[in-house]
Amino acid sequence: MSVDAAEIAKFDEQAARWWDPLGPSRALHDLNPERLAFVSERTALAGKRVLDLGCGGGILSEALAKAGAQVIGIDLSSEQVSVAQLHALESGLDITYRQVDSATLAVEQPESFDLIVCMEMLEHVPDPSAILRDCARLLKPEGDLFLSTINRGLRSFALAIVGAEEVLRLLPRGTHRYAQFIKPHELARGLRAAGFDVRALAGLHYDPIRRRAWRNADVAVNYLMHGKRSR
Ligand code: SAH
């Protein structure tokens, strides 16, 4: 199990305002349609058994459920799990949320998911490769894994830490640590080592003033990656 208790405590604290479009997860709300589009353009969702790993308050889980997927969301923050459960009730969506780690779930339900999404989460764990290995165990053969995280470099430092936390106050101070950011080639290497083929890479961009998100080939800051289990 790869987990940083201090990180989980930060997300516990933010949970109450998770669904506030102006709260600490404001950027996630605005990025969500583009994240969903990346997934749904690459695989069918209706009827699929989907795991949202590190689901937080369920922003992406709910969008996937609305697209017809059968969603299980897991997170180690008990506060986030409670918020996710309450919000799904309010939305009238049938989603299962649990406070369980991916290694435990992999023992309990091996090879049982068609698709896993794990977004904006790997930069908060001590050993991202361990999570990727759990994903390989959780997925059915040829299952799809969709990741998003933040690149490590000058522009991501300037935008994701200085810009977002210090200048615009878009994210609470201390949300991200530069050393935890992951270069795309490192993530691709981790995926291959865990038994995945890398199928796609896309940059994910955000204009916090206009609150607009878009994708293109520039992966210097936020990016999405699609892996397919190959063994
Ligand atoms: N994936 C969601 C939330 C991102 S915030 C979204 O993009 O909308 C990151 C989440 O990962 C937090 O809720 C945090 O509690 C969770 N998390 C961090 N480490 C984790 C781990 N090892 N296992 C499961 N969840 C974890």
Side-chain angles (χ1 to χ4, degrees), residues 17-18 20-32 59 168-171 206-211:
R17 288 191 66 202
W18 205 252
D20 176 352
L22 299 177
S25 52
R26 165 180 171 160
L28 294 179
H29 286 281
D30 296 339
L31 290 168
N32 207 44
I59 295 170
L168 295 169
R169 301 284 163 85
L170 191 65
L171 296 173
Y206 181 51
D207 175 346
I209 311 295
R210 292 185 187 80
R211 305 196 63 175

Side-chain angles (χ1 to χ4, degrees), residues 22-75:
L22 299 177
S25 52
R26 165 180 171 160
L28 294 179
H29 286 281
D30 296 339
L31 290 168
N32 207 44
E34 284 298 319
R35 310 194 292 186
L36 180 70
F38 181 74
V39 176
S40 64
E41 282 166 13
R42 309 193 60 82
T43 184
L45 286 169
K48 293 283 183 71
R49 205 171 131 77
V50 175
L51 175 68
D52 187 354
L53 204 179
C55 60
I59 295 170
L60 183 56
S61 307
E62 288 205 5
L64 292 163
K66 282 182 186 154
Q70 189 193 325
V71 182
I72 298 184
I74 63 170
D75 201 287

Side-chain angles (χ1 to χ4, degrees), residues 2-3 8 11 28 35 54-56 75-77 119-121 125:
S2 178
V3 60
I8 302 301
F11 288 106
L28 294 179
R35 310 194 292 186
C55 60
D75 201 287
L76 288 174
S77 157
M119 301 225 179
E120 304 307 312
M121 184 270 207
V125 302

Side-chain angles (χ1 to χ4, degrees), residues 21-135:
L22 299 177
S25 52
R26 165 180 171 160
L28 294 179
H29 286 281
D30 296 339
L31 290 168
N32 207 44
E34 284 298 319
R35 310 194 292 186
L36 180 70
F38 181 74
V39 176
S40 64
E41 282 166 13
R42 309 193 60 82
T43 184
L45 286 169
K48 293 283 183 71
R49 205 171 131 77
V50 175
L51 175 68
D52 187 354
L53 204 179
C55 60
I59 295 170
L60 183 56
S61 307
E62 288 205 5
L64 292 163
K66 282 182 186 154
Q70 189 193 325
V71 182
I72 298 184
I74 63 170
D75 201 287
L76 288 174
S77 157
S78 60
E79 299 292 326
Q80 292 281 359
V81 169
S82 304
V83 164
Q85 283 167 337
L86 257 177
H87 201 275
L89 269 180
E90 281 176 20
S91 306
L93 292 168
D94 186 12
I95 302 173
T96 304
Y97 288 111
R98 287 175 56 190
Q99 185 191 11
V100 64
D101 67 274
S102 48
T104 303
L105 192 70
V107 172
E108 200 186 283
Q109 303 185 30
E111 301 206 324
S112 57
F113 293 93
D114 299 299
L115 198 154
I116 300 179
V117 296
C118 179
M119 301 225 179
E120 304 307 312
M121 184 270 207
L122 292 174
E123 69 273 21
H124 300 285
V125 302
D127 183 6
S129 293
I131 303 289
L132 300 179
R133 289 192 294 272
D134 293 342
C135 290

Side-chain angles (χ1 to χ4, degrees), residues 203-224:
L204 180 59
H205 300 269
Y206 181 51
D207 175 346
I209 311 295
R210 292 185 187 80
R211 305 196 63 175
R212 222 172 50 80
W214 67 98
R215 282 171 289 153
N216 63 24
D218 171 9
V219 297
V221 186
N222 237 283
Y223 62 94
L224 294 149

